[in-house]
């Protein structure tokens, strides 16, 4: 099958002005889907939708109404008006509508109203990223200027110059920031913000759905600290949250703020016609179940779109895939008609100046294609895009719709294409499109009372204000935790309160997003030394080890030195045809068992574990062919983490039921089983597969007759984020869907779409995994 979307055209017709429209592309997709064994698995149509408009509310300030009319807005969408009515009545409100539905006005209107009525009022705007803050500030300023109002708004984040910070604290009516800056740069210095906190009227939380899992659990505790400080200064801010579509926005808002909320979920905004294509790369080796590289297929589709004049956003699920795709697309497009600089990458590691430039050039149409991580998934205004191509399933239905919504933001017809990887979750979704389109989006859950997270924020709270005897932090009784911190020499009881006594600055040691707050700085020493990027601590150990190829803006840099103590990586630009992929070694040890249940003669359990992980080597992977062209050994510091896990224990009596299998074949079977279970566990819990780690115990008893392994699925965050308990409760269903996944895969010996490739799991791994699963399933029914 010819995989060119425009195979019917000759090469000359591709170069002339008569470019195919999006309709032509969709027609080709529909034709493609009709062919036998087509890689196009589904073409889903979302029809255009008309707006539901209502008149301006009576309470809307005349200056605001006049500004809106000057901009051509004579009526509001119904959800904007409903949110405004709740806000002026003094109620907390959460509005949940799709991407590009005008949520910004939902919170700006009541804030503008309040500031025009009372110039002393203040508001915090909380965005998950600095880029989104900058984008919203531009929109805020243009509206305020059109009103002729003296409302001053500024961003206050890590990029704000030191000499500007004092002026912002004193002059700003609205401070746009992010949870990280609130946590480490504002709350610990609340005395400098005294006037702001005394008059704080509104707290705006945008992109509420972003605050889930470990990050959301941290943010909930930051908000506890914020409310505590507001109480000290005598204010009680009203909260307005906005969210993309998730299943439980009201519950999430109430969990984060521990206050009641009103829900606005009836979307009144119009939407353009949208097409959603599911594409599964063709099988190139039926025996091994190997498909064409999803990155190569993403490149092929994206190049076609860009060359046909479609402004295209390509999403990748990690930094490495982003940089590999930028390299591929620049190579392909700049050999053709696309001008230099029209293809760019965009991710969190880029410096702020680079990100702002890319956003501006996207809006202006100068950039034709951008490869991004989830950094562009949020509501940053990047203009009118035609096509979104996703390299791999993002891990959740909500996130997939959020990315797809980046196309057609001006109500024009748009196209979203999901290119499935060989990951089992991708394969399930792309081969069962009815599941995706009929399923409601996921619920977002947090666990703010995770002990490790809670006690870290309690340190910060004590640093900010003494903890009074009998004081609550959320619903938590603080007395035993304060005594514990007192025994560590961090708190001291005096005059009915616990006071911070350490000379350390606790917020600086706590990252809201990762295990540690230490970032590594990447320094290019090719010429004059210059900083080109920052990399988070966990990623640095994988990406910045010595001899690694670090990719930045499609350029290759070899890491010459990793200064672990100073958190610096020194790199030099090189020309090479490969990138590197780290190899890690993980051990898990049971610390405490919370519960267990028999599965015949096997055992299921969940509890607390210790995870030790070390990067021990790396592979060299050739661009395009993805061949393994070399390897190297490393000796990196070992990382330790306490977390929670679900596990299966296979005693000798259970494995004795397979006398024809050698210990090695049994181990291959358990390894294969772990790969498949991890994918299906993420499917059942609707979490990112990266939230779960999988490990086989290394303290295996191996004699000529004994072999008793444990297979762990552990929460990939310190202290756990609540995944092990539901996995234990869903153990029977988990085993059943894992068996179905393996049975339905057409490969013979294992492949990336079920249990993993035979080279990874060993000979006989798939067959052994199936036999073990059958025995476990029958044992669970006994």
């Amino acid at each position: 099958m010819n995989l060119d979307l425009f195979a019917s055209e000759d090469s000359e017709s591709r170069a002339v002005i008569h470019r195919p429209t999006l309709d032509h592309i969709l027609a080709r997709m529909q034709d493609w889907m009709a062919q036998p064994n087509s890689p196009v698995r589904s073409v889903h149509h979302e029809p255009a939708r008309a707006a539901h408009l209502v008149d301006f509310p009576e309470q809307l300030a005349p200056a605001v109404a006049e500004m809106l009319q000057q901009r051509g807005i004579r009526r509001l969408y119904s959800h904007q008006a409903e949110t405004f009515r709740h806000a002026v009545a003094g109620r907390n409100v959460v509005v949940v509508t799709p991407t590009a539905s005008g949520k910004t006005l939902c919170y700006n209107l009541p804030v503008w109203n309040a500031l025009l009525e009372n110039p002393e009022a203040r508001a915090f705007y909380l965005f998950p990223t600095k880029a989104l803050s900058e984008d919203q500030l531009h929109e805020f300023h243009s509206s305020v200027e059109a009103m002729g109002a003296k409302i001053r708004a500024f961003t206050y984040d890590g990029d704000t110059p030191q000499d500007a910070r004092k002026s912002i604290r004193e002059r700003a009516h609205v401070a746009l920031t992010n949870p990280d800056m609130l946590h480490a740069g504002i709350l610990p210095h609340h005395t400098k913000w005294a006037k702001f906190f005394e008059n704080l009227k509104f707290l705006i939380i945008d992109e509420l759905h972003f605050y889930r899992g470990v990050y959301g659990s941290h943010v909930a505790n930051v908000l506890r600290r914020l409310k505590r400080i507001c109480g000290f200064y005598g204010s009680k801010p009203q909260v307005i949250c906005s969210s993309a579509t998730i299943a439980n926005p009201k519950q999430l808002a109430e969990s984060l703020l521990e206050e009641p909320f009103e829900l606005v979920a009836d979307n009144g905004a119009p939407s353009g016609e949208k097409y959603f294509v599911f594409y599964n790369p063709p099988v190139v080796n039926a025996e091994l179940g190997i498909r064409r590289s999803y990155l190569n297929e993403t490149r092929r589709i994206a190049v076609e779109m860009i060359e046909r004049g479609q402004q295209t956003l390509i999403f990748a699920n990690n930094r490495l895939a982003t940089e590999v795709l930028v390299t591929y697309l620049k190579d392909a497009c700049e050999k053709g008609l696309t001008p230099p600089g029209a293809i760019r990458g965009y991710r969190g590691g880029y410096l702020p100046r680079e990100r702002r430039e890319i956003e501006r050039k996207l809006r202006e149409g100068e950039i034709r294609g951008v490869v991004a991580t989830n950094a562009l998934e949020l509501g940053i205004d990047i203009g009118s895009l035609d096509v979104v191509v996703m390299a791999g399933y993002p891990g959740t239905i909500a996130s997939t719709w959020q990315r797809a919504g980046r196309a057609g933001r001006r109500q024009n017809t748009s196209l979203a294409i999901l290119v499935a990887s060989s990951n089992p979750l991708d394969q399930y979704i792309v081969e069962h499109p009815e599941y995706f389109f009929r399923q409601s989006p996921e619920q977002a859950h947090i666990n703010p009372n995770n002990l490790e997270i809670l006690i870290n924020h309690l340190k910060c709270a004590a640093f900010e204000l003494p903890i009074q005897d009998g004081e609550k932090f959320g619903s938590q009784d603080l007395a035993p935790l304060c005594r514990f911190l007192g025994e560590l020499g961090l708190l001291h009881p005096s005059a009915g309160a616990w006071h911070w006594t350490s000379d350390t600055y606790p917020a600086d040691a706590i990252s809201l997003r990762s295990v540690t707050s230490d970032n590594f700085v990447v320094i290019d020493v090719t010429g004059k030394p210059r900083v080109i990027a920052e990399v988070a601590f966990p990623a640095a150990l994988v990406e910045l080890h010595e001899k690694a190829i670090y990719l930045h803006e499609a350029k290759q840099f070899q890491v010459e030195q990793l200064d672990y103590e100073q958190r610096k990586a020194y790199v030099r630009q090189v020309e090479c045809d490969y990138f590197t992929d780290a190899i890690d070694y993980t051990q898990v040890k049971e610390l405490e068992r919370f519960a267990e249940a028999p599965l015949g003669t096997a055992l299921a359990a969940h509890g607390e574990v210790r995870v030790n992980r070390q990067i021990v080597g790396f592979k060299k992977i050739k661009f395009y062919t993805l061949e393994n062209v070399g390897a190297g050994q490393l000796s990196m510091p070992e990382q330790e983490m306490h977390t929670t896990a679900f596990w299966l224990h296979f005693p000798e009596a259970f494995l004795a039921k397979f006398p024809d299998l050698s210990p090695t074949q049994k181990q291959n079977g358990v390894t294969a089983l772990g790969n498949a279970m991890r994918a299906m566990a993420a499917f059942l819990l609707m979490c990112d597969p990266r939230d779960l780690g999988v490990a086989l115990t290394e303290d295996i008893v191996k004699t000529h007759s004994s072999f008793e392994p444990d297979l762990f699925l552990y929460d990939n965050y310190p202290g756990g984020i609540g995944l092990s308990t539901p996995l234990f409760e869903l153990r029977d269903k988990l085993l059943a869907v894992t068996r179905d996944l393996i049975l339905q895969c057409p490969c013979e010996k294992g492949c990336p779409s079920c249990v993993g490739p035979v080279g990874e799991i060993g000979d006989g791994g798939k067959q052994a995994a199936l036999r073990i699963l059958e025995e476990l399933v029958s044992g669970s029914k006994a």
Side-chain angles (χ1 to χ4, degrees):
M1 182 186 298
N2 191 326
L3 294 182
D4 191 330
L5 291 174
F6 307 95
S8 60
E9 302 175 49
D10 59 41
S11 58
E12 290 185 7
S13 70
R14 296 172 61 160
V16 297
I17 294 174
H18 306 294
R19 290 174 168 172
T21 63
L22 208 52
D23 290 339
H24 187 171
I25 295 171
L26 289 163
R28 290 289 298 142
M29 287 283 188
Q30 296 279 11
D31 292 344
W32 224 1
M33 188 175 169
Q35 298 178 23
N37 300 317
S38 168
V40 178
R41 309 308 296 162
S42 173
V43 178
H44 178 79
H45 178 228
E46 293 269 327
R49 203 180 74 153
H52 179 202
L53 297 168
V54 298
D55 293 335
F56 290 154
E58 290 182 6
Q59 303 99 317
L60 190 65
V64 178
E66 185 179 343
M67 178 272 294
L68 293 175
Q69 288 172 338
Q70 287 174 1
R71 295 183 153 210
I73 302 172
R74 290 173 174 79
R75 304 178 80 197
L76 296 179
Y77 297 144
S78 57
H79 63 276
Q80 294 171 335
E82 185 182 355
T83 304
F84 182 83
R85 284 194 295 271
H86 283 305
V88 295
R91 294 186 285 267
N92 295 333
V93 58
V94 54
V95 54
V96 51
T97 54
T99 304
S101 56
K103 288 192 288 288
T104 302
L105 270 186
C106 289
Y107 51 75
N108 275 344
L109 291 179
V111 170
W112 289 333
N113 240 46
L115 291 175
L116 289 171
E117 182 181 326
N118 176 16
E120 292 300 310
R122 298 291 184 265
F124 267 131
Y125 279 40
L126 210 58
F127 300 99
T129 66
K130 290 185 284 189
L132 191 52
S133 298
E134 288 287 344
D135 185 68
Q136 292 294 328
L137 179 66
H138 174 78
E139 170 66 24
F140 193 99
H141 273 164
S142 61
S143 299
V144 168
E145 287 172 10
M147 273 190 273
K150 295 181 179 179
I151 297 174
R152 296 181 294 272
F154 303 92
T155 56
Y156 194 92
D157 55 37
D159 297 338
T160 305
Q162 289 291 336
D163 56 359
R165 295 188 178 189
K166 181 179 179 181
S167 174
I168 292 172
R169 291 192 294 265
E170 293 174 351
R171 298 178 60 237
H173 292 99
V174 176
L176 294 82
T177 188
N178 55 69
D180 302 86
M181 192 64 179
L182 185 64
H183 155 64
I186 296 176
L187 297 181
H189 306 291
H190 61 85
T191 53
K192 297 179 180 179
W193 291 80
K195 181 181 177 182
F196 203 97
F197 279 114
E198 287 170 359
N199 296 284
L200 189 59
K201 169 72 173 172
F202 280 105
L203 172 63
I204 307 301
I205 303 178
D206 195 21
E207 307 288 358
L208 178 77
H209 58 282
F210 202 76
Y211 303 116
R212 60 182 188 268
V214 66
Y215 184 43
S217 303
H218 272 294
V219 171
N221 280 285
V222 173
L223 294 173
R224 284 171 170 173
R225 290 160 48 200
L226 171 66
K227 289 168 63 179
R228 186 170 178 262
I229 287 172
C230 288
F232 176 77
Y233 287 102
S235 63
K236 190 179 188 304
Q238 187 179 341
V239 188
I240 303 176
C241 302
S242 74
S243 172
T245 304
I246 56 173
N248 63 332
K250 185 173 184 287
Q251 178 193 354
L252 179 61
E254 291 177 344
S255 297
L256 278 167
L257 274 301
E258 297 172 309
E259 294 180 18
F261 274 77
E262 299 293 333
L263 174 64
V264 175
D266 188 8
N267 178 27
S271 62
E273 188 178 30
K274 182 178 290 293
Y275 289 86
F276 207 137
V277 174
F278 278 12
Y279 179 94
N280 202 7
V283 174
V284 294
N285 186 322
E287 180 183 354
L288 298 178
I290 296 173
R291 297 181 179 273
R292 282 190 178 176
S293 162
Y294 80 104
L295 293 180
N296 278 333
E297 294 299 279
T298 300
R299 173 192 60 85
R300 182 193 294 265
I301 292 170
V303 167
E304 294 288 350
M305 298 299 171
I306 293 166
E307 289 187 349
R308 296 316 178 277
Q310 307 298 319
Q311 195 177 27
T312 303
L313 173 58
I314 302 100
F315 279 109
N317 288 336
N318 55 60
R319 189 199 70 80
L320 181 58
T322 301
E323 293 295 351
V324 168
L325 276 170
V326 172
T327 303
Y328 288 0
L329 286 170
K330 282 189 172 182
D331 287 351
C333 289
E334 293 178 4
K335 289 175 184 174
L337 301 173
T338 308
I343 307 297
R344 299 292 295 272
Y346 186 106
R347 57 179 175 80
Y350 287 10
L351 298 176
R353 182 183 65 257
E354 290 180 281
R355 295 199 299 267
R356 306 297 169 266
E357 176 198 4
I358 293 166
E359 292 159 18
R360 177 180 57 79
K361 289 184 175 180
L362 259 178
R363 287 192 292 269
E364 295 171 356
E366 188 176 335
I367 292 176
R368 304 307 303 161
V370 166
V371 186
T373 57
N374 63 351
L376 270 184
E377 185 178 309
L378 304 175
I380 298 164
D381 184 8
I382 50 176
S384 178
L385 299 174
D386 303 305
V387 178
V388 164
V389 183
M390 288 172 265
Y393 178 59
T396 67
I397 294 172
S399 193
T400 307
W401 280 115
Q402 183 85 345
R403 293 184 181 189
R406 301 302 278 159
R409 287 176 68 86
R410 297 295 181 269
Q411 298 158 37
N412 53 319
T413 301
S414 61
L415 172 64
I417 303 172
L418 172 64
V419 181
S421 74
S422 294
N423 182 291
L425 186 56
D426 287 45
Q427 289 299 307
Y428 187 91
I429 290 290
V430 83
E431 292 297 333
H432 298 81
E434 71 285 350
Y435 167 83
F436 178 87
F437 292 112
R438 292 177 187 170
Q439 185 81 8
S440 64
E442 297 83 6
Q443 295 197 357
H445 294 290
I446 59 172
N447 179 20
N449 295 327
N450 170 298
L451 189 57
E452 181 157 337
I453 293 174
L454 178 68
I455 206 157
N456 276 329
H457 286 280
L458 187 59
K459 295 176 189 175
C460 299
F463 178 90
E464 291 152 6
L465 290 169
I467 298 172
Q468 302 298 320
D469 288 345
E471 184 179 343
K472 296 278 190 181
F473 195 61
S475 60
Q476 295 300 300
D477 180 8
L478 299 184
L481 296 179
C482 287
R483 285 195 296 271
F484 170 73
L485 292 176
E487 291 168 3
L488 295 178
L490 299 175
L491 298 186
H492 177 71
S494 175
W498 291 86
H499 300 260
W500 182 256
T501 57
S502 171
D503 58 0
T504 60
Y505 181 70
D508 196 39
I510 302 164
S511 167
L512 304 188
R513 289 178 169 84
S514 59
V515 177
T516 173
S517 61
D518 289 343
N519 283 352
F520 279 74
V521 176
V522 183
I523 302 171
D524 177 16
V525 295
T526 308
K528 183 180 178 181
R530 64 189 182 101
V531 175
I532 59 171
E534 275 190 58
V535 177
F537 183 93
L541 302 180
V542 175
E543 299 171 5
L544 296 176
H545 57 79
E546 292 183 2
K547 301 180 185 177
I549 298 298
Y550 179 76
L551 300 176
H552 184 79
E553 276 284 271
K555 296 174 183 174
Q556 291 100 44
F557 297 85
Q558 185 167 47
V559 180
E560 295 189 341
Q561 180 191 354
L562 178 66
D563 188 336
Y564 187 83
E565 296 299 325
Q566 296 299 316
R567 303 296 193 255
K568 295 178 181 177
Y570 298 92
V571 302
R572 189 178 301 276
Q573 189 171 349
V574 295
E575 293 290 336
C576 61
D577 61 353
Y578 68 89
F579 58 93
T580 51
D581 189 17
I583 303 167
D584 69 346
Y585 173 71
T586 302
Q587 288 183 301
V588 181
K589 182 174 178 60
E590 176 187 342
L591 297 178
E592 182 182 356
R593 189 171 300 190
F594 299 155
E596 61 181 47
L599 295 170
T601 53
L603 187 75
H606 77 104
E608 185 178 351
V609 297
R610 185 182 69 226
V611 179
N612 293 83
R613 180 174 181 246
Q614 187 172 23
I615 307 300
V616 296
F618 63 93
K619 296 178 286 187
K620 297 179 180 179
I621 310 296
K622 194 169 184 178
F623 284 118
Y624 297 102
T625 65
L626 304 183
E627 296 172 79
N628 188 337
V629 294
Q633 292 184 336
L634 295 168
S635 179
M636 301 283 288
E638 185 178 79
Q639 303 301 308
E640 181 178 300
M641 153 175 97
H642 285 220
T643 185
T644 54
F646 162 76
W647 67 89
L648 298 176
H649 174 64
F650 301 98
E652 185 180 354
F654 177 87
L655 294 175
K657 297 180 180 183
F658 313 103
D660 56 317
L661 297 180
S662 69
T664 298
Q665 288 173 317
K666 292 172 185 176
Q667 182 165 3
N668 292 348
V670 177
T671 301
L673 175 60
N675 291 341
M677 282 181 63
R678 179 191 186 192
M680 290 298 96
F683 168 77
L684 289 178
L685 299 179
M686 292 184 178
C687 70
D688 190 316
R690 290 166 292 193
D691 290 343
L692 288 166
V694 60
L696 189 63
T697 48
E698 293 300 320
D699 53 338
I700 296 170
V701 181
K702 274 191 180 180
T703 67
H704 48 273
S705 62
S706 180
F707 172 69
E708 297 194 348
D710 289 327
L711 177 61
F712 289 90
L713 289 176
Y714 60 88
D715 286 22
N716 221 352
Y717 297 98
I721 52 170
L723 301 180
S724 64
T725 300
L727 275 182
F728 178 74
E729 294 168 351
L730 291 167
R731 58 190 178 276
D732 293 344
K733 189 172 184 179
L734 174 60
L735 295 172
V737 296
T738 304
R739 181 186 59 179
D740 292 344
L741 171 76
I742 301 174
L743 276 173
Q744 292 168 9
C745 186
C747 72
E748 294 179 14
K749 298 181 179 180
C751 72
S753 299
C754 59
V755 297
V758 66
E760 179 183 315
I761 63 171
D763 290 333
K766 179 176 180 177
Q767 291 74 19
L770 262 177
R771 291 177 62 186
I772 291 169
L773 263 174
E774 294 288 0
E775 188 64 34
L776 288 170
V777 170
S778 63
S780 70
K781 295 176 180 177

